[in-house]
Amino acid sequence: MEACFEYQLTGLEQLMVTVCEKFFGFLAFQENWQPVRSIAKVFKKEVMTLTDLKEFIDMELILVHAKYMVLLMVKMMLMSLLTAFYRMRNKAFTNPEDTSSFGKGEQAKKYLRTDSDVERVRRIHLNDLENIVPFAIIGFFYCVSGVPYSTALLHYRLFFGARVFHTIAYFIPLPQPCRGLSWLVGYLVTFSMAYRLLTVSLSL
């Protein structure tokens, strides 16, 4: 039995559907691009089924993207905790109020300093933010762009592996170019997905 969710459109939504129907219908007539044709067909229905949605959205691929994003977000959260751990262990702080439990006045000021271990972990965390956030946004749109499942999965696995190895290479540390190459692999994966989205958008 076909899974279905009934949803009655409001007046404004019906107007939007009409506009989208004309727009996507025109594109489907002009362009031989299956995702656009599928969207055009779905927008002609007031009651959409899960089968309709699956014609242009691979739900399994969205779940794969979500899985790798959860793993990467947990990794970033752990780096934040690791930064706090090294600050407490090495007694190296940047804010005066953080040193209050270790003394007052001049005695507390000696804890306002930079520490190599803290800075190393903090830089790993910052590098994660600079790379994982763009990957999360671009990767989501990538997985609904009609890309083959195996291709998207390869991109996600390469990026995840590159970020994990980058952290290991930075934390131990491993000799260069280990860290640089791992960063480059992740960057090229994100660029590859962005290029795919750009080519798709230009074909509309």
Side-chain angles (χ1 to χ4, degrees), residues 13 26 28 47 49 95 97 99 107 115 123 146 170 182 186 189:
E13 289 171 334
F26 173 76
V47 178
T49 65
N95 302 309
E97 63 271 17
T99 65
Q107 185 179 359
D115 179 81
R123 286 194 297 269
Y170 212 150
S182 60
V189 168

Side-chain angles (χ1 to χ4, degrees), residues 117-157:
D117 292 334
V118 174
E119 289 302 305
R120 180 171 292 275
V121 178
R122 191 176 67 86
R123 286 194 297 269
I124 296 173
H125 190 200
L126 289 175
N127 196 275
D128 276 347
L129 288 171
E130 293 171 357
N131 289 271
I132 293 176
V133 172
F135 171 82
I137 298 171
I138 295 173
F140 174 77
F141 289 106
Y142 180 75
C143 73
V144 296
S145 66
V147 66
Y149 178 89
S150 58
T151 303
L153 184 61
L154 177 63
H155 278 72
Y156 296 155
R157 286 177 174 175

Side-chain angles (χ1 to χ4, degrees), residues 2-18:
E2 183 182 48
C4 177
F5 59 94
E6 300 287 337
Y7 180 73
Q8 299 301 321
L9 302 180
T10 65
L12 179 58
E13 289 171 334
Q14 182 60 56
L15 176 61
M16 293 174 63
V17 165
T18 302

Side-chain angles (χ1 to χ4, degrees), residues 33-60:
W33 189 46
Q34 185 59 38
V36 172
R37 292 182 181 274
S38 299
I39 293 172
K41 181 170 65 175
V42 169
F43 270 115
K44 292 179 181 179
K45 300 183 179 182
E46 292 190 10
V47 178
M48 294 187 294
T49 65
L50 293 180
T51 302
D52 294 327
L53 293 176
K54 287 179 181 178
E55 290 189 26
F56 65 95
I57 296 179
D58 189 339
M59 298 303 296
E60 186 177 358

